[in-house]
Amino acid sequence: SGRTMPVATTNLRALTSWVGIARLSAVVLSCLAFSLVASTGRFGGPYGTWCMFTWCFCFTVTLLVLLLELLELYPLLPLSWDDFTAAFSMLAALMVFTSSVVYPATFISSPCSSSPCARQAVATTASCLCFLAYAVEVSLTRAKPGDISSFLSTVPGLLKVFEAYVACLIFSLLDAYSREPGLMWCVAVYSICFIFTLLIIIFTIGRCLTYIPCPLEKMLVGYNFLALLMYLTATILWPLYSFRGQSRPDSCGPDCSWNKHLGVTFLTIFNLIAYLVDLVYSTRMVFFRAP
C-alpha cells in the first residue's frame, strides 16, 4: 500500500529555549528538594506533607510538559496548551514559594549543626531556586501588551490563578467561624469568588468560554467589580468579628486560632488588592484598547 507510517518528531527547542531551560532547572531543583527532605524523614504533619506534595507535584507535571513539548504531542490534547502552561507555571511558583517559607519555619531549628539539618537547609535553598525558575518561566511566557490570544498568560489571567490560590490558603486557615453571622458572610465571599474564579480558569483551559452567549470580556469586568466589593466587605468584617474582645494568647503556636485569624486577615487583604489590580487591567483591556 502507499500509506506511510507517521514519523516521530522531536522539538529540541523545548529543551534549549530559555523557557525550556527554566523548566529543566525547575525539574532538577524540585527533585533535589524532595529527595533531600525524604532522606531526612522529617516531613511529618500537614505542613511537611504539603511541602513534599508541592515538590513532587511540580516535578511530575513540569517533566510531563517537557516531554509533551519535546515529542510535539501536546496538540493532540483537547485543551488550550498555552493557557494550561501559563496557569501551571504561575500555580507552581506560588506553591513552591509557600513551601520555601513554610518548610524551614516549621522543621529547621537553630543552631543547625547536624547532617539532617544541613540537608534540610540545602533542600530549602533548592526550593527557593526552584521558585525563581518558575518565576522566570512566568515572566518569559507572559503575554505582551495587547496580545490576548492566551488569556491566562495575560496579567488578569495570572491574577486569576493567584486569587484562586490565595482563597485555598484562606480555606486551610478557617477555624471556628460559625458562631458569628459576619464571619459566615466572609466565608461565603471566599467560597463564591473561588468557585467563579476556578470556573473561569477551567473553562479557559478547556476552550469552553466561546460557548458562553454573552460578551465575555465585559462579563469578566463586571465579575471583577462584584468580587472586589465582596472582598472589601470581608476585609472589614473578618478582623472586626474575629478579634472583637480578644487579645493574642501568651502561648500561641502555629495551630492557635488567633494566629489563623490573623493569617486570614492578611490573605483577604492580598486578594482584595489582587482583584483591584485585576479590575484595572481588565477594564483597560476591554474599554481602552489601542487602535
Side-chain angles (χ1 to χ4, degrees), residues 209-223:
L209 290 178
T210 54
Y211 299 109
I212 298 177
C214 59
L216 177 63
E217 295 171 339
K218 294 182 180 179
M219 185 191 75
L220 289 178
V221 172
Y223 163 70

Side-chain angles (χ1 to χ4, degrees), residues 202-233:
I202 294 174
F203 285 178
T204 302
I205 294 175
R207 298 174 178 168
C208 299
L209 290 178
T210 54
Y211 299 109
I212 298 177
C214 59
L216 177 63
E217 295 171 339
K218 294 182 180 179
M219 185 191 75
L220 289 178
V221 172
Y223 163 70
N224 288 332
F225 180 71
L226 288 176
L228 177 65
L229 293 180
M230 293 172 70
Y231 259 90
L232 182 61
T233 63

Side-chain angles (χ1 to χ4, degrees), residues 130-158:
C130 185
F131 159 70
L132 291 178
Y134 280 119
V136 169
E137 181 183 349
V138 171
S139 176
L140 291 173
T141 58
R142 186 170 70 85
K144 303 299 184 292
D147 181 12
I148 57 173
S149 58
S150 172
F151 171 69
L152 292 181
S153 64
T154 63
V155 172
L158 295 172

Side-chain angles (χ1 to χ4, degrees), residues 54-290:
T54 293
W55 295 320
C56 293
F57 171 74
C58 293
F59 166 80
T60 303
V61 177
T62 306
L63 184 60
L64 183 62
V65 168
L66 281 172
L67 289 175
L68 289 173
E69 291 208 343
L70 178 64
L71 301 176
E72 294 190 331
L73 297 175
Y74 63 89
L76 302 176
L77 299 176
L79 51 82
S80 173
W81 183 251
D82 290 339
D83 283 309
F84 170 75
T85 53
F88 170 73
S89 59
M90 183 64 176
L91 176 64
L94 294 170
M95 292 175 67
V96 174
F97 174 77
T98 305
S99 298
S100 301
V101 174
V102 169
Y103 186 79
T106 307
F107 292 95
I108 298 181
S109 56
S110 183
C112 184
S113 55
S114 63
S115 174
C117 186
R119 278 177 279 168
Q120 288 176 309
V122 174
T124 302
T125 303
S127 183
C128 293
L129 293 175
C130 185
F131 159 70
L132 291 178
Y134 280 119
V136 169
E137 181 183 349
V138 171
S139 176
L140 291 173
T141 58
R142 186 170 70 85
K144 303 299 184 292
D147 181 12
I148 57 173
S149 58
S150 172
F151 171 69
L152 292 181
S153 64
T154 63
V155 172
L158 295 172
L159 284 171
K160 288 285 182 288
V161 180
F162 177 85
E163 291 154 6
Y165 181 73
V166 171
C168 289
L169 294 180
I170 290 175
F171 294 143
S172 70
L173 294 176
L174 290 179
D175 182 23
Y177 58 84
S178 59
R179 67 183 186 275
E180 293 282 0
L183 298 182
M184 294 176 68
W185 162 252
C186 294
V187 174
V189 168
Y190 305 142
S191 302
I192 293 170
C193 293
F194 169 74
I195 291 171
F196 276 95
T197 301
L198 185 62
L199 286 176
I200 291 170
I201 295 171
I202 294 174
F203 285 178
T204 302
I205 294 175
R207 298 174 178 168
C208 299
L209 290 178
T210 54
Y211 299 109
I212 298 177
C214 59
L216 177 63
E217 295 171 339
K218 294 182 180 179
M219 185 191 75
L220 289 178
V221 172
Y223 163 70
N224 288 332
F225 180 71
L226 288 176
L228 177 65
L229 293 180
M230 293 172 70
Y231 259 90
L232 182 61
T233 63
T235 303
I236 297 171
L237 293 177
W238 181 266
L240 180 65
Y241 283 94
S242 294
F243 303 113
R244 185 175 55 183
Q246 296 184 23
S247 57
R248 189 177 188 275
D250 295 333
S251 57
C252 194
D255 294 326
C256 174
S257 294
W258 198 93
N259 279 350
K260 289 183 177 180
H261 290 164
L262 183 63
V264 172
T265 300
F266 279 106
L267 291 172
T268 303
I269 295 172
F270 292 159
N271 248 3
L272 175 69
I273 296 172
Y275 277 110
L276 175 60
V277 177
D278 194 351
L279 176 63
V280 171
Y281 268 90
S282 299
T283 304
R284 286 178 58 188
M285 287 174 61
V286 174
F287 298 104
F288 300 98
R289 284 182 180 173

Side-chain angles (χ1 to χ4, degrees), residues 24-40 51-52 55-56 58-60 103 118-130:
L24 277 173
S25 302
V27 166
V28 173
L29 292 166
S30 58
C31 180
L32 179 62
F34 74 71
S35 299
L36 287 172
V37 172
S39 70
T40 66
C51 294
M52 284 294 284
W55 295 320
C56 293
C58 293
F59 166 80
T60 303
Y103 186 79
R119 278 177 279 168
Q120 288 176 309
V122 174
T124 302
T125 303
S127 183
C128 293
L129 293 175
C130 185

